[in-house]
Amino acid sequence: MNIQIVNCRAASHTFTTEGETDRKSVSCITVVSCLQGEYEVCIDGEPYTVGAGEIFYTPEDADQKIIHHLCPDGTPMKAQWVYITVLINEKFNLKKYYDIPRKLPPDTSRKINEYISAFMKYSSRNDLTGQIKRHYIEYGILNELIDCAESVEFKDSKTIFDDSKIESH
């Protein structure tokens, strides 16, 4: 089995407007850490509240509605996140194999928060050390996600293979 992380990008932002709302669907997985303030998130119609120190996960192509909330005293909301494209056998995405909770457990959130912060530290380094550190961190995040996931049970080969992409021999 071939497992690749073909793209991983990290970013952070400080939100100063109460109730700022984003609606989107992203073609890769997103792992979003709330550092300060609170998120109200709706992922494929399911609502979640994510506070400081917590993380939400969104699978590929999920519909997202994200509302940003400042701290009760008006302090800006702060967040950091990664976008990750995971390929399994060069064509399958992660959600075909794992059902990852949308709001991650506290211990997983703590570990992934550390990974995202470290990734941000190495994101601008283009030398060999920076690349090795980023790859280690990318797979660390993936490992934490699958550790809190349920494996998807395949009922038949049609669940695994997209017949439109299989060439006849």
Side-chain angles (χ1 to χ4, degrees), residues 39-50 56 65 102-103:
Y39 277 112
E40 244 180 286
V41 183
C42 193
I43 303 167
D44 285 337
E46 292 293 321
Y48 303 91
T49 300
V50 179
F56 71 89
K65 178 182 176 187
R102 301 310 182 251
K103 184 175 179 180

mmCIF file of all heavy atoms in Angstrom, residues 39-50 56 65 102-103:
data_model
loop_
_atom_site.group_PDB
_atom_site.id
_atom_site.type_symbol
_atom_site.label_atom_id
_atom_site.label_comp_id
_atom_site.label_asym_id
_atom_site.label_seq_id
_atom_site.Cartn_x
_atom_site.Cartn_y
_atom_site.Cartn_z
ATOM 1 N N TYR A 39 -15.011 28.663 18.080
ATOM 2 C CA TYR A 39 -15.619 28.405 16.773
ATOM 3 C C TYR A 39 -16.993 27.807 16.970
ATOM 4 O O TYR A 39 -17.206 26.993 17.871
ATOM 5 C CB TYR A 39 -14.817 27.350 15.998
ATOM 6 C CG TYR A 39 -13.623 27.823 15.239
ATOM 7 C CD1 TYR A 39 -12.347 27.447 15.644
ATOM 8 C CD2 TYR A 39 -13.750 28.598 14.095
ATOM 9 C CE1 TYR A 39 -11.222 27.837 14.925
ATOM 10 C CE2 TYR A 39 -12.633 28.991 13.375
ATOM 11 C CZ TYR A 39 -11.374 28.603 13.798
ATOM 12 O OH TYR A 39 -10.278 28.994 13.085
ATOM 13 N N GLU A 40 -17.904 28.185 16.097
ATOM 14 C CA GLU A 40 -19.145 27.454 15.881
ATOM 15 C C GLU A 40 -18.973 26.883 14.488
ATOM 16 O O GLU A 40 -18.781 27.633 13.528
ATOM 17 C CB GLU A 40 -20.329 28.428 15.857
ATOM 18 C CG GLU A 40 -21.334 28.283 16.926
ATOM 19 C CD GLU A 40 -22.422 29.314 16.730
ATOM 20 O OE1 GLU A 40 -22.167 30.503 17.010
ATOM 21 O OE2 GLU A 40 -23.510 28.909 16.275
ATOM 22 N N VAL A 41 -18.991 25.570 14.365
ATOM 23 C CA VAL A 41 -18.685 24.927 13.097
ATOM 24 C C VAL A 41 -19.836 24.003 12.724
ATOM 25 O O VAL A 41 -20.384 23.296 13.576
ATOM 26 C CB VAL A 41 -17.380 24.094 13.211
ATOM 27 C CG1 VAL A 41 -17.021 23.483 11.884
ATOM 28 C CG2 VAL A 41 -16.247 24.925 13.734
ATOM 29 N N CYS A 42 -20.170 24.005 11.445
ATOM 30 C CA CYS A 42 -21.138 23.054 10.918
ATOM 31 C C CYS A 42 -20.437 22.336 9.760
ATOM 32 O O CYS A 42 -20.040 22.973 8.784
ATOM 33 C CB CYS A 42 -22.394 23.770 10.452
ATOM 34 S SG CYS A 42 -23.766 22.661 10.141
ATOM 35 N N ILE A 43 -20.240 21.025 9.901
ATOM 36 C CA ILE A 43 -19.541 20.228 8.898
ATOM 37 C C ILE A 43 -20.527 19.214 8.328
ATOM 38 O O ILE A 43 -21.019 18.355 9.064
ATOM 39 C CB ILE A 43 -18.314 19.513 9.511
ATOM 40 C CG1 ILE A 43 -17.362 20.540 10.148
ATOM 41 C CG2 ILE A 43 -17.599 18.678 8.451
ATOM 42 C CD1 ILE A 43 -16.298 19.936 11.025
ATOM 43 N N ASP A 44 -20.825 19.355 7.046
ATOM 44 C CA ASP A 44 -21.832 18.510 6.391
ATOM 45 C C ASP A 44 -23.127 18.442 7.203
ATOM 46 O O ASP A 44 -23.719 17.385 7.384
ATOM 47 C CB ASP A 44 -21.279 17.107 6.125
ATOM 48 C CG ASP A 44 -20.305 17.079 4.965
ATOM 49 O OD1 ASP A 44 -20.365 17.993 4.106
ATOM 50 O OD2 ASP A 44 -19.479 16.150 4.906
ATOM 51 N N GLY A 45 -23.543 19.610 7.732
ATOM 52 C CA GLY A 45 -24.812 19.702 8.446
ATOM 53 C C GLY A 45 -24.754 19.383 9.926
ATOM 54 O O GLY A 45 -25.745 19.569 10.631
ATOM 55 N N GLU A 46 -23.625 18.904 10.438
ATOM 56 C CA GLU A 46 -23.493 18.556 11.858
ATOM 57 C C GLU A 46 -22.821 19.700 12.613
ATOM 58 O O GLU A 46 -21.707 20.100 12.278
ATOM 59 C CB GLU A 46 -22.663 17.281 12.032
ATOM 60 C CG GLU A 46 -23.333 16.030 11.507
ATOM 61 C CD GLU A 46 -24.581 15.647 12.300
ATOM 62 O OE1 GLU A 46 -24.579 15.786 13.547
ATOM 63 O OE2 GLU A 46 -25.556 15.222 11.664
ATOM 64 N N PRO A 47 -23.483 20.237 13.683
ATOM 65 C CA PRO A 47 -22.910 21.372 14.418
ATOM 66 C C PRO A 47 -21.921 20.943 15.516
ATOM 67 O O PRO A 47 -22.100 19.906 16.159
ATOM 68 C CB PRO A 47 -24.141 22.021 15.037
ATOM 69 C CG PRO A 47 -25.097 20.885 15.230
ATOM 70 C CD PRO A 47 -24.842 19.918 14.097
ATOM 71 N N TYR A 48 -20.896 21.770 15.721
ATOM 72 C CA TYR A 48 -19.893 21.555 16.764
ATOM 73 C C TYR A 48 -19.491 22.911 17.325
ATOM 74 O O TYR A 48 -19.456 23.902 16.605
ATOM 75 C CB TYR A 48 -18.626 20.879 16.206
ATOM 76 C CG TYR A 48 -18.907 19.557 15.539
ATOM 77 C CD1 TYR A 48 -19.188 19.497 14.174
ATOM 78 C CD2 TYR A 48 -18.914 18.375 16.269
ATOM 79 C CE1 TYR A 48 -19.467 18.288 13.551
ATOM 80 C CE2 TYR A 48 -19.190 17.162 15.651
ATOM 81 C CZ TYR A 48 -19.467 17.123 14.301
ATOM 82 O OH TYR A 48 -19.751 15.928 13.697
ATOM 83 N N THR A 49 -19.139 22.932 18.612
ATOM 84 C CA THR A 49 -18.545 24.103 19.240
ATOM 85 C C THR A 49 -17.121 23.723 19.608
ATOM 86 O O THR A 49 -16.889 22.681 20.228
ATOM 87 C CB THR A 49 -19.333 24.523 20.502
ATOM 88 O OG1 THR A 49 -20.677 24.820 20.108
ATOM 89 C CG2 THR A 49 -18.716 25.744 21.152
ATOM 90 N N VAL A 50 -16.172 24.562 19.202
ATOM 91 C CA VAL A 50 -14.749 24.271 19.418
ATOM 92 C C VAL A 50 -14.131 25.469 20.127
ATOM 93 O O VAL A 50 -14.099 26.569 19.585
ATOM 94 C CB VAL A 50 -14.042 23.992 18.072
ATOM 95 C CG1 VAL A 50 -12.569 23.709 18.290
ATOM 96 C CG2 VAL A 50 -14.721 22.840 17.335
ATOM 97 N N PHE A 56 -10.869 21.023 15.359
ATOM 98 C CA PHE A 56 -11.841 20.318 14.522
ATOM 99 C C PHE A 56 -11.170 19.857 13.242
ATOM 100 O O PHE A 56 -10.210 20.447 12.761
ATOM 101 C CB PHE A 56 -13.111 21.140 14.256
ATOM 102 C CG PHE A 56 -12.979 22.319 13.339
ATOM 103 C CD1 PHE A 56 -13.142 22.186 11.971
ATOM 104 C CD2 PHE A 56 -12.752 23.588 13.854
ATOM 105 C CE1 PHE A 56 -13.065 23.275 11.122
ATOM 106 C CE2 PHE A 56 -12.674 24.701 13.024
ATOM 107 C CZ PHE A 56 -12.825 24.539 11.654
ATOM 108 N N LYS A 65 -19.397 25.451 7.387
ATOM 109 C CA LYS A 65 -19.818 26.792 7.786
ATOM 110 C C LYS A 65 -19.089 27.045 9.098
ATOM 111 O O LYS A 65 -19.228 26.281 10.055
ATOM 112 C CB LYS A 65 -21.325 26.889 7.994
ATOM 113 C CG LYS A 65 -21.759 28.261 8.458
ATOM 114 C CD LYS A 65 -23.255 28.319 8.710
ATOM 115 C CE LYS A 65 -23.630 29.681 9.268
ATOM 116 N NZ LYS A 65 -25.042 29.697 9.684
ATOM 117 N N ARG A 102 -15.097 14.685 13.968
ATOM 118 C CA ARG A 102 -14.994 16.065 13.496
ATOM 119 C C ARG A 102 -14.420 16.974 14.581
ATOM 120 O O ARG A 102 -13.696 17.904 14.294
ATOM 121 C CB ARG A 102 -16.344 16.599 13.025
ATOM 122 C CG ARG A 102 -16.988 15.788 11.889
ATOM 123 C CD ARG A 102 -16.014 15.538 10.742
ATOM 124 N NE ARG A 102 -16.662 14.807 9.673
ATOM 125 C CZ ARG A 102 -16.428 13.538 9.358
ATOM 126 N NH1 ARG A 102 -15.533 12.836 10.048
ATOM 127 N NH2 ARG A 102 -17.049 12.945 8.364
ATOM 128 N N LYS A 103 -14.768 16.703 15.828
ATOM 129 C CA LYS A 103 -14.151 17.405 16.954
ATOM 130 C C LYS A 103 -13.227 16.389 17.614
ATOM 131 O O LYS A 103 -13.671 15.338 18.070
ATOM 132 C CB LYS A 103 -15.192 17.917 17.939
ATOM 133 C CG LYS A 103 -14.599 18.733 19.069
ATOM 134 C CD LYS A 103 -15.689 19.324 19.946
ATOM 135 C CE LYS A 103 -15.079 20.109 21.091
ATOM 136 N NZ LYS A 103 -16.134 20.676 21.948
#
